[in-house]
Amino acid sequence: MTTILVTGGTGTLGRLVTERLRGDGHDVRVLSRHAQPYAVDLRKGGPGLDAAVAGVDTIVHCATSPGGGDEKAAAHLIAAARRAGVQHLVYISIVGIDRVPFGYYRTKLAVETLIEESGLGWTVLRATQFHDLLVRLFVILSKPPVMLLPAGVKDQPVEVTEVADRLAELALAAPAGRVADMGGPEVRTLDSLARAYLKATGRKRAVANVPLWGKGYRGFRSGGHLTRGPGVGKGTFEEYVGRVGGRRV
């Protein structure tokens, strides 16, 4: 039995990773800001973090904050892992963070660099956007009578349960460095994905594609956030919205 710490273990991905590892009989600790007994803010670190990593074989780092602080959190986690003699750090990242000049992507890339230079055994998996992220976006964009979308952008959404399965598999294996990217089975225009969402939820909205500006937009429009090869995921966006409907997840 392996002792594994999952950061962000109450989140969309971390919760599923935790369930899979526990289902396989492993001792899994969940670290998040509010989950006892390992309620820790990684951006602050401290004795609670050292207690959480003590005796741990592997860390699966799923915690993230688009609002900022990921680099500081990773630095605290790496330092604690070194002190505890952790053998393996697994990190979930995003496809295209080295190709799309977008602020959050730059932070994820910086965290990857910290992990690669940490001296720990490490594995990094990059994945495309989860289906639920698109649903959250479309919930917001469909509030007005006209649904405005960035023109010319495609996406390759992936089923989060499949990413969780892959992360659990990597956590139980030896450190592998940067592994193959994981993307969904289809590259689709945002327009087609939005219309699939509207159909599944019974909303009637006009859809308009609006050109934007900036280097980040150009990066997304050029497909920098898509996998370079075929996606390995199987679950489609239609299957996902068919299950969850319009509720925000």
Side-chain angles (χ1 to χ4, degrees):
M1 183 176 68
T2 303
T3 300
I4 302 170
L5 175 69
V6 179
T7 74
T10 59
T12 300
L13 176 62
R15 174 177 50 81
L16 294 171
V17 174
T18 298
E19 289 174 359
R20 278 146 179 74
L21 291 169
R22 283 178 173 165
D24 288 338
H26 299 284
D27 176 20
V28 181
R29 301 176 186 176
V30 170
L31 184 149
S32 75
R33 282 178 292 174
H34 305 292
Q36 296 294 342
Y38 303 111
V40 175
D41 186 339
L42 283 174
R43 295 169 297 183
K44 298 178 181 178
L49 177 55
D50 287 318
V53 300
V56 165
D57 302 295
T58 297
I59 297 172
V60 182
H61 187 27
C62 298
T64 186
S65 176
D70 277 11
E71 290 179 66
K72 183 178 290 187
H76 288 150
L77 182 65
I78 288 167
R82 285 175 178 156
R83 291 191 294 269
V86 173
Q87 298 298 305
H88 189 188
L89 176 57
V90 181
Y91 181 55
I92 180 66
S93 191
I94 304 173
V95 170
I97 58 174
D98 52 349
R99 300 190 293 262
V100 179
F102 180 60
Y104 181 55
Y105 281 21
R106 291 191 186 100
T107 298
K108 297 290 282 188
L109 186 60
V111 171
E112 282 192 13
T113 300
L114 288 173
I115 290 170
E116 291 167 10
E117 297 175 352
S118 67
L120 301 168
W122 59 274
T123 300
V124 169
L125 170 66
R126 291 182 181 178
T128 55
Q129 314 303 321
F130 302 155
H131 292 135
D132 77 283
L133 180 63
L134 284 179
V135 168
R136 290 173 181 171
L137 174 65
F138 293 153
V139 165
I140 295 170
L141 295 181
S142 63
K143 287 182 179 179
V146 179
M147 195 172 182
L148 301 178
L149 301 171
V153 175
K154 297 180 180 179
D155 209 353
Q156 189 181 3
V158 66
E159 174 59 49
V160 67
T161 57
E162 296 176 347
V163 178
D165 288 342
R166 178 64 172 144
L167 274 182
E169 177 184 47
L170 292 170
L172 299 175
R178 168 89 182 276
V179 298
D181 293 349
M182 188 169 185
E186 300 174 317
V187 175
R188 304 270 299 276
T189 64
L190 277 185
D191 183 286
S192 72
L193 291 164
R195 293 181 188 279
Y197 166 79
L198 292 171
K199 180 179 180 181
T201 58
R203 286 173 168 81
K204 296 186 182 298
R205 297 287 188 276
V207 177
N209 294 285
V210 181
L212 301 179
W213 58 90
K215 293 180 180 179
Y217 170 62
R218 289 198 296 272
F220 286 117
R221 185 163 182 164
S222 68
H225 60 304
L226 309 175
T227 61
R228 292 309 196 198
V232 296
K234 295 181 173 61
T236 68
F237 184 69
E238 273 84 359
E239 290 170 341
Y240 178 80
V241 293
R243 291 198 309 272
V244 305
R247 72 173 185 268
R248 186 169 179 172
V249 291

